[in-house]
């Protein structure tokens, strides 16, 4: 008896109540009558609850799924609750469609930082997962997929409407938030979406840095960009220095303009712009600064290679080292 489900115990209790005075056929008819009456009362409860607050459909729907898992398919209780599940499923579908519409419409008030649509989505996930006990997740996972698509559409639409703030900043802030949330709250059906969020925020951060920030060493960057274009067009490395536009003397003069002091000023200027855009999220500000640092070091190392290849005997070197670049960023980064 201890292995019986709750539903079966309820059914046996009703049977036991009438066992002393009724035949087996009569007892079964009475059990069916009582449970069917209960099913009707349950439908009324579901309707009134969901009309009061459509979000009640979520715990009701999940509870019925859990109840059916514990019932024998041949029992009367299973047939009754299975019928109840159909009604609860209708309200569940209505609920997630309303929530999807809420996500798509919630960014009309333009506010910086994490968008309302993103917060609605993550709060719903927390609420839903706190109720989730059933291993059969098809319905709820499909709901998550629909809502994640709505969040993506809302973030991209909001980003495209910006005039005072770079579009990439909106994308970075919100996909960074979503990625960290999904990383912390493991939801298997959203693993692909978590990877998508990570890729979107990383790609947008790189675009932001390239499009909106003038990195230090701007003149040297332009110079070596021209050198690389020459090489890509077929000019040999040994011939680069003979072009007046890319002569050793011109490069030497450019290098002289960039002391450690000038480099530091350039880094400070870049970090002020980043702070202006990402001041509400210190973690994201740090990520942006580290990305700038990595991009600057990548540029310097690339320029040093071109100097070795195209001006091998000129003895040209920058007035700073990669280690000094690290030191400048370390002093300016938030603690």
């Amino acid at each position: 008896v201890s292995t019986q489900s709750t539903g079966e115990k309820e059914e046996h209790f009703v049977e036991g109540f009438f066992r002393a005075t009724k035949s087996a056929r009569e007892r079964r008819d009475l059990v069916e009558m009582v449970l069917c009456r209960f099913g009707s009362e349950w439908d009324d409860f579901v309707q009134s609850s969901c009309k009061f607050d459509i979000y009640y459909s979520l715990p009701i729907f999940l509870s019925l799924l859990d109840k059916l898992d514990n019932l024998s398919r041949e029992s009367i209780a299973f047939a009754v609750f299975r019928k109840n599940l159909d009604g609860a499923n209708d309200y569940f579908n209505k609920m997630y469609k309303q929530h999807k519409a809420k996500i798509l419409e919630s960014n009309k008030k333009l506010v910086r930082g994490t968008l309302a649509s993103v917060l609605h989505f993550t709060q719903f996930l927390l609420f839903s997962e706190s109720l989730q006990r059933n291993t059969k997740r098809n319905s709820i996972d499909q709901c998550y997929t629909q809502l994640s698509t709505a969040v993506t559409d809302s973030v991209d639409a909001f980003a495209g409407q910006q005039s005072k703030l770079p579009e990439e900043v909106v994308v970075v802030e919100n996909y960074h938030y979503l990625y960290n949330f999904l990383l912390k709250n493991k939801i298997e059906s959203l693993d692909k979406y978590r990877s998508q969020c990570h890729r979107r925020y990383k790609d947008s951060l790189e675009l932001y840095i390239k499009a909106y920030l003038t990195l230090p060493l701007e003149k040297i960057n332009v110079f070596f960009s021209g050198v690389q274009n020459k090489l890509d067009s077929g000019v040999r490395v040994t011939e680069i220095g003979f072009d007046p536009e890319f002569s050793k003397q011109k490069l030497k003069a450019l290098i002289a303009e960039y002391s450690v002091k000038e480099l530091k000023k350039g880094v400070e200027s870049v970090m002020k712009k980043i702070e202006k855009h990402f001041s509400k999220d210190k973690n994201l500000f740090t990520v942006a600064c580290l990305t700038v640092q990595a991009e600057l070091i990548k540029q310097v190392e690339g320029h040093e290679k071109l100097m070795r290849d195209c001006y091998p005997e000129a003895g040209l070197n920058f007035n700073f080292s990669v280690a000094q670049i690290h030191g400048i960023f370390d002093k300016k980064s938030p603690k």
Side-chain angles (χ1 to χ4, degrees), residues 14 18 28-40:
V14 177
F18 295 103
R28 183 171 178 82
D29 289 345
L30 284 169
V31 169
E32 186 172 358
M33 180 184 69
V34 170
L35 288 178
C36 287
R37 178 60 182 170
F38 170 78
S40 176

Side-chain angles (χ1 to χ4, degrees), residues 314-329:
L316 296 172
N317 291 291
F318 290 123
N319 297 317
F320 50 82
S321 65
V322 169
Q324 287 175 311
I325 295 176
H326 281 295
I328 293 170
F329 276 91

Side-chain angles (χ1 to χ4, degrees), residues 13-14 31 55 59 62 65 71 92 129 144-145 171 192 204 208 217 227 230 247 250 273 290 294 299 308 330 332:
F13 171 79
V14 177
V31 169
Y55 287 95
L62 294 177
L65 282 177
L71 290 173
F92 171 78
E129 288 299 302
Y144 288 172
T145 300
V171 175
K192 289 184 178 179
S204 294
Y208 162 76
L217 314 179
V227 170
K230 286 285 184 179
S247 67
K250 185 170 183 179
K273 291 180 181 178
L290 289 173
Q299 288 181 354
R308 290 193 300 270
D330 288 343
K332 297 298 178 184

Side-chain angles (χ1 to χ4, degrees), residues 169-213:
V169 171
V170 176
V171 175
V172 169
E173 285 182 324
N174 286 279
Y175 283 110
H176 179 261
Y177 181 91
L178 284 167
Y179 169 71
N180 283 329
F181 175 88
L182 294 173
L183 192 63
K184 179 180 178 181
N185 301 275
K186 306 292 185 182
I187 301 174
E188 187 176 351
S189 62
L190 291 175
D191 282 350
K192 289 184 178 179
Y193 187 64
R194 183 185 69 223
S195 298
Q196 177 187 334
C197 291
H198 184 256
R199 185 175 63 254
R200 286 293 304 273
Y201 108 73
K202 293 286 285 186
D203 290 348
S204 294
L205 184 56
E206 290 181 7
L207 286 174
Y208 162 76
I209 290 169
K210 291 177 181 178
Y212 294 95
L213 301 180

Side-chain angles (χ1 to χ4, degrees), residues 96-114:
Y96 96 74
K97 287 177 182 178
Q98 286 187 10
H99 197 72
K100 180 179 177 180
K102 183 178 182 180
I103 286 173
L104 290 171
E105 297 171 2
S106 59
N107 295 331
K108 291 182 178 180
K109 293 182 179 180
L110 305 184
V111 180
R112 280 197 53 189
T114 306

